[in-house]
Amino acid sequence: MTFKELMLKRESCRKYDGRPVPHDVLLELMETACLSPSACNSQPWKLIAAEGEVAKQISQDIQKSGRNQFCENVGSFIVLCETPATLRAFVNKESQYYAQMDLGMITMALTLAAADKGLSTCILGLFDEPSVRKTLSIPDEIPIRLIISVGYAAEDGVRDKVRKDESETISFDRF
Amino acid sequence: MTFKELMLKRESCRKYDGRPVPHDVLLELMETACLSPSACNSQPWKLIAAEGEVAKQISQDIQKSGRNQFCENVGSFIVLCETPATLRAFVNKESQYYAQMDLGMITMALTLAAADKGLSTCILGLFDEPSVRKTLSIPDEIPIRLIISVGYAAEDGVRDKVRKDESETISFDRF
């Protein structure tokens, strides 16, 4: 599989068959994702996999937001938190929020690592944040950025991707 | 190559042989990267590849920051801008800065697409922003987030990755 084929395979899955992902596979996904780059190699992230009864609670915590009801049928989640970044002195911390870009990078890696193993994911930005924090005992000062549902798709096949026309997103030598 | 092998292959390269990347290859990298996901599929990005004399000017614009002098020997760059995100009404835009996470995702995809083709990259957050803006005629209201150097490594081999101990970055069922 070329990388482009993997990119086409990865999609947001909202229909799962309910089976949990084995512990060792969740660990391997997180280990691979942690090879991601970050500003000053600061690695401002903590990944928490939720399994079994804890996953069921996280599913409820997500649905409490009023969205993402499909999570009722998801067996495993990985919660991404932002931890304090330690950037070198010469890095301008005003102009850019590097840690959020770093979290984006590890999220992309995590979803691709899952797709490479035939697993399906959905990147969730909406969840009842206080409930997730309580379920996983996440300290108040640690932002919870995203939750990734991880499981097995209930349907075969991959949708065509809907993307803007290249003329809007790609150019050469000038904006 | 498994995805984990690709993740191990991708690294920040700071020694290039100076050759530019062919136009068609740069286009293909950007097309593959644009398959990345984003909040509400908003795709808040514009990728600008710099070639030839424009790439030489971008190299100077980067070095003007006083860092990243290795760019003297880089033949091609891809500049990542953030464009206005159009998120659905129910998305809480206060708690998270989704566009920067989306830019992180497309950056990860771009660097992996390059590694898959035997190309080397470095993600640069430091550059003389006004100079880059002028060189590529980027409108004032469009943030320039990152510049990716793209080329051919001057040395063979891949370094071992330095990462935090797993106990700091990975856990199960609680923070």
Side-chain angles (χ1 to χ4, degrees), chain A residues 62-91:
Chain A
I62 292 167
Q63 293 177 69
K64 250 196 235 176
S65 72
R67 313 289 312 186
N68 298 322
Q69 306 305 313
F70 74 87
C71 287
E72 183 63 31
N73 219 26
V74 172
S76 311
F77 297 93
I78 296 175
V79 176
L80 274 85
C81 298
E82 179 184 324
T83 57
T86 46
L87 302 179
R88 290 189 208 115
F90 58 78
V91 176

Side-chain angles (χ1 to χ4, degrees), chain A residues 46-47 78-81 103 106-107 110 144-146 148:
Chain A
K46 173 97 185 236
L47 283 59
I78 296 175
V79 176
L80 274 85
C81 298
L103 267 288
I106 197 168
T107 298
L110 193 59
I144 308 170
R145 290 288 173 216
L146 297 168
I148 319 291

